[in-house]
Amino acid sequence: MDESARRRAANDASGRPDLGPLAHAARRSLNGEHPGLTGTMLPPLVDHHVHLMLVGADALADTALAGVVDLGAPLDLVTARRHHDGLPNAEFAGAFLTARGGYPAGRSWAAEGSVREIDERAGDGRGSLPSPAEAAVAEQLAFGASVIKVVLNTAAGPVLDRGTLDAVVAAAHERDLPVVAHVEGDGMARLAIDAGVDALAHTPFTERVDDELIGRAVALGQRWISTLFINGYGEPSPDFDRAVDNLRRFHDAGGRVLYGTDLGNGVQPLGLNPAELAALSLAGLSAPEVIGALVDPWPLRERAAGIVTFVAGPPPATPEDLPGWLASASIVPTEDLERL
């Protein structure tokens, strides 16, 4: 089925896009705020790539986001948020793990303590002391990290050698921590896939990932976090075109796509970014698939309890209306809604 036919099949008899099984017509309680208002109920929304050290620890408190995954922050911010009661719920990678002198070490935007440089693996591995990779992973976990972030960016400096990267992945998996990789530069997507990394922090944007490698990523169960908008910030760019093409083929091959913005990188709205949602549609995701990428709780341990997403008014009239419609969402208590 070609793309236009697939999109037509995703529309209901009225011509409106079918929102899929996660969306339910709902009405707000007659006893609460906005009594009797009708709309659509969705699971809690998640941005799978943010940087609270750049936007502010509490900057997303009044948005429609119920969960965020912070992929690079100082460990003191991680510990400060461990027992935070307010929304959004946050999971942290802790510091960027990178090679000695590798990206983003020395960058003005990288707050003190947000980068952890790892020396290459040395020796025969039979010593009693943990390797530098094992020590770095254990340190992130001790401070409250629930995911590990590695940086593989040949465009901006040295990267972890294969042996050290393997040691990071092994140490993380031994502790039940998924590994997310920033890949940038020739061969970096292949390096991450060869090493068994669980997710890519960005859809690859500096090189075309061939179909064979995409197939291996899908077979591995790898997830790709979208972050398409930052490749040009709404202006045409080769990086944006490459990223959309890579994500389209990954998605068509059965790959699991997660909504993420890299919030804090450039000028973006706090909360949902309609332009990122529109880019997901451009990459071939149907309305239910865009919603699925947005509500997937991975790697959060569980969905936020006691709350749901509510979008007031009628559902979007066309697929092109979906991003703006979703951007009008709010968080409400589950008990405030009844399904229709």
Side-chain angles (χ1 to χ4, degrees):
M1 181 182 295
D2 64 25
E3 178 62 18
S4 61
R6 189 174 69 81
R7 288 190 179 278
R8 286 195 301 272
N11 292 347
D12 64 21
S14 70
R16 294 182 182 275
D18 176 13
L19 299 179
L22 296 174
H24 302 283
R27 178 172 56 205
R28 299 196 71 165
S29 168
L30 296 176
N31 298 320
E33 296 182 10
H34 312 289
L37 183 66
T38 60
T40 303
M41 177 172 61
L42 301 169
L45 309 183
V46 180
D47 188 330
H48 298 84
H49 189 156
V50 306
H51 294 285
L52 296 181
M53 70 176 181
L54 298 176
V55 300
D58 299 315
L60 301 175
D62 296 321
T63 70
L65 293 172
V68 296
V69 184
D70 188 295
L71 293 181
L75 292 178
D76 59 356
L77 176 56
V78 179
T79 55
R81 288 278 306 201
R82 286 181 72 174
H83 304 294
H84 183 76
D85 292 331
L87 294 174
N89 294 338
E91 298 288 334
F92 285 87
F96 298 89
L97 303 189
T98 191
R100 181 68 57 182
Y103 182 83
R107 297 308 193 271
S108 59
W109 56 263
E112 183 178 355
S114 65
V115 179
R116 176 67 153 82
E117 296 170 280
I118 302 176
D119 293 314
E120 290 187 6
R121 188 176 184 180
D124 58 12
R126 294 195 293 269
S128 59
L129 295 176
S131 72
E134 292 169 330
V137 170
E139 180 182 55
Q140 309 315 304
L141 178 61
F143 279 84
S146 52
V147 61
I148 297 299
K149 169 78 171 288
V150 297
V151 180
L152 307 172
N153 183 353
T154 56
V159 300
L160 299 171
D161 66 279
R162 177 62 192 275
T164 304
L165 178 59
D166 284 348
V168 169
V169 173
H173 288 173
E174 286 171 4
R175 295 161 174 81
D176 294 323
L177 300 175
V179 180
V180 179
H182 170 121
V183 297
E184 185 172 352
D186 291 346
M188 293 299 96
R190 183 173 296 277
L191 177 60
I193 292 166
D194 286 346
V197 163
D198 301 283
L200 299 188
H202 308 275
T203 300
F205 57 94
T206 56
E207 61 177 342
R208 185 181 189 274
V209 182
D210 65 50
D211 291 340
E212 178 273 333
L213 191 58
I214 282 177
R216 287 178 51 205
V218 173
L220 183 66
Q222 194 173 77
R223 298 157 173 87
W224 286 10
I225 302 170
S226 57
T227 71
L228 299 170
F229 173 73
I230 61 170
N231 299 304
Y233 298 96
E235 298 297 327
S237 77
D239 286 349
F240 180 82
D241 292 342
R242 273 189 294 268
V244 169
D245 174 64
N246 284 332
L247 192 64
R248 179 185 295 109
R249 290 181 295 110
F250 176 75
H251 166 257
D252 287 347
R256 190 166 171 181
V257 178
L258 302 175
Y259 167 88
T261 61
D262 197 10
L263 186 63
N265 182 346
V267 178
Q268 299 192 59
L270 292 176
L272 293 181
N273 186 342
E276 186 68 39
L277 296 167
L280 285 172
S281 295
L282 185 63
L285 276 70
S286 65
E289 290 166 340
V290 170
I291 291 171
L294 185 56
V295 305
D296 193 317
W298 188 93
L300 280 69
R301 295 180 180 89
E302 58 186 21
R303 294 190 193 276
I307 60 170
V308 290
T309 304
F310 181 68
V311 190
T318 69
E320 291 73 24
D321 295 330
L322 180 69
W325 179 79
L326 284 168
S328 70
S330 61
I331 297 172
V332 303
T334 304
E335 63 189 20
D336 191 46
L337 293 179
E338 65 170 314
R339 286 176 56 172
L340 299 176

